[in-house]
Amino acid sequence: MTSQTQSPKYKRVLLKISGEVLAGKSEPGVDKFGIDMDACFPIAKEIKEAIDAGTEVCLVIGGGNIFRGLKGVGQGMERAQADSMGMLATVMNALAMQGALEEIGIPARVQSAVEMPKICEPFIRRRAIRHMEKGRVVIFAAGTGNPYFTTDTGAALRAAEMGCDAMLKGTQVDGVYTADPKTNPDATRYDNLAYMDVLNKDLRVMDATAVSLMKENHIPIVVFSIHNKGSLAEVLAGNGVCTVIEN
């Protein structure tokens, strides 16, 4: 039996991916910027598999492929201003992913924490839940709407508000390792971790505020590779290569 035909382990999930994923593959030592629709469609197809299997999905995408707030601060920009620019970058990514999803037949709605009614919906919790109940993907943009908070924290907040069964973090590697597996061949992957292990060992899966929020609301964090075809469906079925962080 394939993972696509198994009943999903999680009924409702929030998928968090970085903005860099939408920029497409880059050469070693070279960062890519902008949005590559050829990188958006594979992710959209993974989400479609999840929807078809019966899982309700909401999504948060970072903005680092367009503008990273902390980089702006490093170049002399005021923090709140730089973070506001980063929030706008996440709206652009959300609209791109909405377009990719709708192109393959999955209805999607973008809800922004910073209101821009001519472009997308404002964030309204009950409306977002209703969208998901109707089989639509909801893409939350602009983080929390406030500076000084990362998109990881925004994702954790939305996962709690939506009553998600898990937050899935799609990364460049297939889980959480003892060290960076790209530079350390001796690094080993954790199958399971406790929230406090992540915080005490400073594993940097996501920022401490986001991890603490997941801990308080008893929402597991599942870290997996977004680049492996079929990996999202496998994780949702309780299989696949990943690291699960929970109590």
Side-chain angles (χ1 to χ4, degrees), residues 9-182:
K9 180 179 179 180
Y10 305 111
K11 174 62 178 174
R12 178 181 295 164
V13 299
L14 184 142
L15 174 62
K16 167 64 170 67
I17 60 176
S18 70
E20 286 84 354
V21 172
L22 302 194
K25 292 184 179 180
S26 59
E27 298 177 2
V30 179
D31 293 329
K32 286 195 71 175
F33 294 94
I35 298 170
D36 182 352
M37 290 306 294
D38 287 338
C40 295
F41 282 111
I43 298 170
K45 291 175 182 176
E46 295 274 322
I47 294 171
K48 184 180 187 301
E49 285 188 13
I51 296 289
D52 291 343
T55 299
E56 297 173 2
V57 179
C58 51
L59 183 64
V60 170
I61 309 172
N65 57 316
I66 298 172
F67 184 83
R68 189 177 291 278
L70 288 178
K71 184 175 181 180
V73 172
Q75 295 174 341
M77 188 176 293
E78 194 269 328
R79 174 67 185 268
Q81 191 84 351
D83 282 354
S84 294
M85 293 173 66
M87 284 185 246
L88 294 177
T90 70
V91 177
M92 296 174 69
N93 283 339
L95 293 171
M97 183 55 65
Q98 180 187 37
L101 285 164
E102 293 187 336
E103 183 68 23
I104 63 171
I106 297 296
R109 301 291 185 270
V110 175
Q111 289 198 350
S112 172
V114 177
E115 293 193 17
M116 43 189 78
K118 291 188 176 182
I119 297 174
C120 55
E121 297 179 5
F123 170 66
I124 300 174
R125 187 181 68 87
R126 292 176 67 90
R127 181 185 290 178
I129 291 172
R130 185 63 176 146
H131 283 321
M132 285 190 287
E133 290 173 344
K134 290 183 175 182
R136 300 165 184 157
V137 174
V138 182
I139 309 169
F140 297 115
T144 67
N146 302 288
Y148 300 96
F149 291 94
T150 67
T151 51
D152 280 344
T153 298
L157 176 63
R158 296 292 181 247
E161 289 177 302
M162 294 300 105
C164 290
D165 300 316
M167 178 162 73
L168 277 53
K169 182 160 186 180
T171 67
Q172 309 289 343
V173 292
D174 56 4
V176 182
Y177 282 75
T178 54
D180 186 349
K182 294 180 180 179

